[in-house]
Amino acid sequence: MPILNRAAELQNEVTEWRRHIHERPELLFAVENTAAFVAEKLKEFGVDEIVTGIGRTGVVGLIKGRGEGSRAIGLRADMDALPLTEITGKPWASTTPGKMHACGHDGHTAMLLGAAKYLAETRNFNGNVAVIFQPAEEGGGGGNLMVKDGMMERFGIEEVYGMHNMPGLPVGQFAIRKGPIMAATDEFTVTVKGRGGHAAQPNRTIDPIVIATQIITNLQMIASRNVDPLRSVVVSVTKFNAGFAHNVIPNEATFAGTVRTLDEAVRDQAESRFRQIVSGIAATHDAEAEIAFHRNYPVTSNHEAETVHATQIATDIAGAANVNADIDPMMGGEDFSYMLNARPGAFIFIGNGDTAGLHNPAYDFNDEAISHGISYWVRLAEQRLGE
Ligand SMILES: [Zn+2]
Ligand SMILES: [Zn+2]
């Protein structure tokens, strides 16, 4: 079964919505206008219940089926943009310098709106469909806040599904895997406190730059000598600040970065080794190290049975040759992980074709993907809630 006819008919209208949202990017939780646009559309479609302000600026619409039953399936999109200046030159490019939809969340929101319109028209299912529009995916953990606000209980959501576009994957294709699909994204900042002094008398100092650089080099032991080589870990130091003159050894050096892992045991191991290495090397050289280690988004891990359902629906729509059911996991993060920790579900990638990469100022969501995305959402809801 290819793309649904009705989804193809919605293509132009949904493209307009997508470009409308694209022109007006908003960041993190400050997605008020996008949320208002979503709520207005849901009202227009005759969605039964529309709740705003979940997870600060999130929106949930509840669409009731024809049949009996109160089981609900959650379909989730994200609404926030990124702090980048767009260079696509497209007629619908961002009108705000320093903000752009460089991760395609405009497309995710528009496709889920298209599915909501379809499902509110047809209602060929028992129970309820909850369409979830979250703020602050790009840092901020809006998905986590929505879960904490009791969204799952309030709407009786028993399963939850997410979708993200993937540049490089041809339009019309899907990719997914059981188990971990995106990484935990922990963040650290370390301040090495030594004793500054004259650069010509290093013996009278405790040089924080030499000590910090040794720590950074040794942190690579976590990947090369601590974690099982068959498991994944990334330790990247992405910032280093110290000093102000050629002839002065400073008091302090600061560095920061991220640790990425695909399972909780490796995550714990990486953090514990991180702390030992930093404190141990600092102590060896008589310095002190202040460690701020922040556990950010958890691993996005697809549940087995729900991944089978999602794969089946993608295969129905795109054909088996166009579904990769065992894509390699990615070391990027996703705060849909919080929803998957709260309820069983699955996160799938949809092809965005040969476009610039995510978070690139030349990126644009590919509108050709819209009817594929809508078809996936609609069939998934209808199949899971039994036509
Ligand atoms: Zn992103
Ligand atoms: Zn994204």
Side-chain angles (χ1 to χ4, degrees):
M1 181 198 58
I3 294 170
L4 301 170
N5 288 335
R6 183 71 184 117
E9 281 167 30
L10 287 168
Q11 171 76 30
N12 289 343
E13 192 180 9
V14 176
T15 299
E16 269 175 43
W17 302 339
R18 203 285 289 182
R19 293 178 183 180
H20 174 95
I21 297 167
H22 190 89
E23 260 186 278
R24 299 161 180 79
E26 297 176 296
L27 302 183
L28 295 168
F29 287 101
V31 291
E32 285 89 358
N33 294 321
T34 310
F37 179 81
V38 165
E40 185 194 300
K41 286 289 162 208
L42 295 177
K43 201 173 160 198
E44 214 176 280
F45 307 155
V47 166
D48 300 278
E49 207 182 311
I50 301 157
V51 182
T52 58
I54 301 190
R56 287 201 227 167
T57 42
V59 182
V60 179
L62 197 72
I63 307 165
K64 297 184 175 166
R66 283 177 215 231
E68 296 295 310
S70 57
R71 278 192 67 218
I73 180 177
L75 311 179
R76 169 273 200 180
D78 35 18
M79 299 188 285
D80 58 320
L82 283 159
L84 285 179
T85 295
E86 181 163 355
I87 59 165
T88 65
K90 300 254 175 87
W92 54 87
S94 167
T95 50
T96 314
K99 294 183 192 177
M100 80 171 280
H101 272 290
C103 205
H105 299 182
D106 49 341
H108 303 163
T109 295
M111 289 192 292
L112 188 55
L113 280 175
K117 180 166 183 168
Y118 184 116
L119 291 166
E121 277 173 10
T122 53
R123 299 181 190 256
N124 273 328
F125 53 89
N126 303 312
N128 304 319
V129 176
V131 285
I132 301 165
F133 298 88
Q134 76 151 81
E137 194 289 315
E138 302 285 4
N144 187 25
L145 270 197
M146 291 184 93
V147 171
K148 280 188 174 159
D149 270 0
M151 173 180 76
M152 298 300 183
E153 297 77 16
R154 181 168 178 174
F155 299 97
I157 297 168
E158 293 181 4
E159 289 175 22
V160 68
Y161 294 86
M163 184 180 350
H164 205 293
N165 76 93
M166 180 181 266
L169 185 69
V171 170
Q173 295 197 7
F174 291 89
I176 192 168
R177 80 189 300 276
K178 288 177 191 169
I181 187 162
M182 303 282 286
T185 57
D186 299 331
E187 294 172 352
F188 58 81
T189 302
V190 172
T191 303
V192 176
K193 297 182 170 179
R195 186 172 65 235
H198 201 295
Q201 297 178 309
N203 54 307
R204 295 185 164 198
T205 72
I206 296 172
D207 187 341
I209 295 179
V210 175
I211 298 166
T213 51
Q214 288 188 36
I215 293 172
I216 292 168
T217 305
N218 272 269
L219 286 175
Q220 294 312 314
M221 299 288 271
I222 297 173
S224 68
R225 289 296 177 270
N226 299 143
V227 169
D228 180 335
L230 297 180
R231 309 258 190 130
S232 302
V233 63
V234 172
V235 179
S236 290
V237 174
T238 55
K239 281 202 242 180
F240 189 100
N241 291 300
F244 42 86
H246 282 85
N247 55 0
V248 178
I249 291 170
N251 282 322
E252 291 185 2
T254 302
F255 62 89
T258 182
V259 177
R260 307 291 174 105
T261 49
L262 290 173
D263 77 60
E264 288 299 321
V266 176
R267 191 183 194 189
D268 289 344
Q269 186 191 12
E271 177 176 350
S272 129
R273 283 302 294 145
F274 182 93
R275 290 180 181 278
Q276 282 176 323
I277 289 168
V278 173
S279 303
I281 293 176
T284 297
H285 300 291
D286 232 0
E288 266 180 59
E290 240 177 52
I291 302 170
F293 195 99
H294 170 60
R295 290 214 167 194
N296 201 28
Y297 296 172
V299 178
T300 303
S301 198
N302 280 340
H303 297 244
E304 185 140 352
E306 289 68 24
T307 306
V308 172
H309 302 316
T311 305
Q312 186 55 54
I313 297 300
T315 305
D316 288 349
I317 292 162
N322 291 315
V323 179
N324 180 351
D326 192 23
I327 192 177
D328 283 340
M330 259 150 282
M331 300 312 277
E334 240 302 332
D335 90 338
F336 184 62
S337 49
Y338 291 102
M339 296 193 192
L340 286 181
N341 282 353
R343 290 293 183 273
F347 188 69
I348 197 166
F349 294 109
I350 181 169
N352 203 55
D354 186 21
T355 63
L358 301 174
H359 295 210
N360 184 301
Y363 169 86
D364 191 25
F365 179 80
N366 191 336
D367 291 315
E368 297 303 314
I370 286 173
S371 51
H372 303 272
I374 296 176
S375 298
Y376 171 78
W377 281 140
V378 165
R379 290 298 299 143
L380 182 67
E382 289 177 346
Q383 195 267 333
R384 292 307 300 140
L385 295 172
E387 290 138 286

